Amino acid sequence: MANFIERRAVRALLLTPDNEVLLIRVKSRTGNVFWIAPGGGIEPGESVEEALRRELREELGLENIDPGSAVWLRHHTFNWDGRRISQHEEYRMVPVERFEAAMHDPYEATFSTHLRWWPISELAHSSERLTPVSLAQILECYLRDGPPAPLPPEEVLVD
């Protein structure tokens, strides 16, 4: 792999009062299919909170979002679009009212094939590939105990 990129990212676990979380179905050019939380890269000079607000505005058209509590850290190294990416991610719990979810970002729409509100109770039993792998556990722990203090150690995943 010719290009190696290190980046920081932030993702939102958008949680409704009915304990549903919004996930985006992604299909890579190589045909891999998986579900991710909305969010993306943190630009130089941008705070985690600023990046999350920007990403949610660009992807979903959401405004005035409270970036919420950090609940999970992950270092994921993977191949994407001909590049090897080493990405440090922070997951934040963002309470929202359920809304009609649609992808607003034209580039993201090229590989984001579906948006779905998932009942948290269904995540652990899904045959779909969810990321992070422990998503059901992260959300169940949050519902039971609130934000973790301190945050668990960073999960490391290499594809």
Side-chain angles (χ1 to χ4, degrees):
M1 191 98 354
N3 295 328
F4 183 80
I5 296 170
E6 290 193 47
R7 67 181 255 179
R8 292 176 50 229
V10 60
R11 299 211 171 272
L13 298 172
L14 297 173
L15 180 66
T16 71
D18 291 329
N19 293 335
E20 298 171 301
V21 65
L22 182 69
L23 298 178
I24 301 168
R25 184 180 187 264
V26 173
K27 183 175 183 182
S28 72
R29 289 185 187 185
T30 59
N32 291 328
V33 175
F34 50 94
W35 293 84
I36 62 171
I42 300 171
E43 302 292 337
E46 207 173 34
S47 72
V48 171
E49 295 81 6
E50 290 166 337
L52 189 60
R53 285 187 187 104
R54 177 185 50 76
E55 286 288 340
L56 293 175
R57 185 175 52 254
E58 291 173 359
E59 290 182 1
L60 302 171
L62 296 179
E63 299 285 346
N64 304 318
I65 292 297
D66 177 1
S69 311
V71 294
W72 193 253
L73 301 172
R74 179 171 83 156
H75 180 192
H76 188 194
T77 303
F78 57 98
N79 297 328
W80 184 261
D81 207 15
R83 301 174 293 170
R84 186 76 173 154
I85 299 177
S86 172
Q87 182 164 279
H88 290 271
E89 299 172 330
E90 181 174 308
Y91 286 77
R92 295 222 165 192
M93 195 61 63
V94 179
V96 295
E97 293 296 323
R98 195 175 203 268
F99 60 93
E100 191 63 39
M103 180 54 68
H104 291 233
D105 184 290
Y107 171 70
E108 300 264 345
T110 64
F111 54 83
S112 300
T113 63
H114 188 69
L115 285 81
R116 176 180 168 198
W117 289 101
W118 289 72
I120 291 173
S121 60
E122 291 181 13
L123 294 173
H125 310 291
S126 175
S127 60
E128 302 275 348
R129 181 176 172 208
L130 307 175
T131 64
V133 175
S134 52
L135 182 60
Q137 179 185 356
I138 294 166
L139 291 164
E140 288 166 1
C141 287
Y142 177 82
L143 291 177
R144 185 184 62 240
D145 304 325
L151 279 173
E154 182 179 65
E155 174 187 55
V156 177
L157 179 62
V158 178
D159 289 353

